[in-house]
Each structure stands twice: as C-alpha cells, then as structure tokens.
Amino acid sequence: MTQLERREKVLHQLDLWNIPYTMYTHPPLPTVEIALEYWKDVDATHCKNLFMRNHKGNRHYLVVFECHHQMAIHDIEKMLHQGKLSFASEARMEKYLGLLPGSVSPFGLINDTNREVKLFLDRNLQDARLLSFHPNDNTADLVVTNEDFMRYLNLWGGEWEYLTLY
C-alpha cells in the first residue's frame, strides 16, 4: 500500500465515523525535529508516537506524548509496567499498524483489526484542545479536536489508557 493509499484509508474511516479534521500537507517529515518547522503555524498539540514491543515480542504498545518531550526507553518501561521494552521492527509496524517508520500515528490503529496493540496516552494530552497526527502518511497531518479523538478511540474499540509519562 502506498503512503497516499494509507492516508486515503484514514480519511475514509474518519468520514465514515463523522469525525471532522483539518488536513495540512507538506514534504515527508520523518522526524519531529524536521516537522517542527512545518508545524509552527498549525494551532494544535503535535504528538510523538513510539511503537514498542515487550521482550517476548507478544505484546505491542503505542506510546503517545507531546512532541517536545524526550522519553528514554528505561523511563517508559518503568511507567508502563510492561517489563523490558524495545522499539518494534519495521515488519511488526507494518503487520500490526499497517505503517512504515516515520508515519507512526494512532490512526494506524484502524489497521489493528485484532486489537493487539495497547495505546498509552500521556495524561497531559487531556488538556489539549486540538491534537495533530500523521494520517499514516508522513506527508500530511490531521488536526482533530480532543473530543473527536476520544470518539475515534471509542469507535476503534481497542485497549487504551492515560498515564502520566513526565
């Protein structure tokens, strides 16, 4: 599946669920550091999304927090209480989220039809009025209200929770 097809799948699903969004397009932005230049005029809380797995490789986690914060794996391990963690491979990312590196987003959860990925959101995101994520394609960002993002998560139906990550 191409990046554009990944994006179209997200837009189609959001439209089906009546979740409004504003889309911003830009050149490929594989890292937050590069993206900051393009996000400066977009009024939203931009997020960093880490896809991880446990030591045995039988549990997968998506960890989402505000983009300006840095999180060491050891710190994430302590907060999640899921044992030793590592970044998931590109193959696992494609299998569970239908994504490629640089495009990780909670919108990838629509591809997790077996609900195998647990989502952890930083509690500080609860206060954000608008949230911004890639639509499974790092050449665009979608901005949604926090309320609509919560609706998205409930319609997705997988396991998620807020944690205080920093």
Side-chain angles (χ1 to χ4, degrees):
M1 185 179 289
T2 68
Q3 283 201 76
L4 186 55
E5 290 169 328
R6 285 180 174 91
R7 179 197 309 177
E8 290 303 317
K9 184 175 181 180
V10 171
L11 300 180
H12 177 72
Q13 189 63 60
L14 293 177
D15 290 342
L16 280 176
W17 287 343
N18 294 312
I19 296 176
Y21 55 85
T22 302
M23 183 167 63
Y24 297 88
T25 59
H26 45 66
L29 303 176
T31 67
V32 169
E33 292 72 26
I34 295 169
L36 288 173
E37 179 63 27
Y38 292 90
W39 291 345
K40 66 183 178 198
D41 297 323
V42 178
D43 179 29
T45 298
H46 302 282
C47 297
K48 190 177 285 189
N49 308 278
L50 305 178
F51 185 54
M52 310 188 87
R53 68 178 193 94
N54 69 353
H55 183 67
K56 293 180 182 177
N58 62 350
R59 298 286 319 242
H60 295 83
Y61 312 97
L62 181 58
V63 181
V64 179
F65 51 96
E66 199 275 331
C67 73
H68 289 94
H69 291 279
Q70 300 294 321
M71 298 287 305
I73 289 179
H74 184 69
D75 294 337
I76 293 172
E77 288 171 346
K78 283 199 270 189
M79 291 173 206
L80 301 187
H81 305 291
Q82 302 294 316
K84 185 165 174 47
L85 301 176
S86 62
F87 290 107
S89 67
E90 184 174 333
R92 287 175 187 270
M93 191 179 296
E94 179 114 33
K95 176 181 177 181
Y96 292 99
L97 297 177
L99 301 176
L100 298 174
S103 299
V104 177
S105 160
F107 293 131
L109 296 168
I110 64 171
N111 298 313
D112 180 24
T113 55
N114 294 326
R115 309 298 183 257
E116 297 180 75
V117 177
K118 181 170 183 176
L119 174 66
F120 290 101
L121 296 168
D122 181 64
R123 190 173 314 282
N124 291 305
L125 296 177
Q126 285 180 298
D127 298 328
R129 186 176 58 84
L130 299 170
L131 296 167
S132 173
F133 304 103
H134 287 316
N136 298 350
D137 160 23
N138 68 359
T139 64
D141 288 292
L142 296 183
V143 174
V144 296
T145 67
N146 205 323
E147 180 181 332
D148 286 326
F149 183 63
M150 291 298 108
R151 266 192 334 111
Y152 165 79
L153 293 179
N154 289 325
L155 289 165
W156 162 61
E159 188 180 356
W160 67 275
E161 69 178 273
Y162 279 114
L163 288 177
T164 301
L165 294 177
Y166 51 87

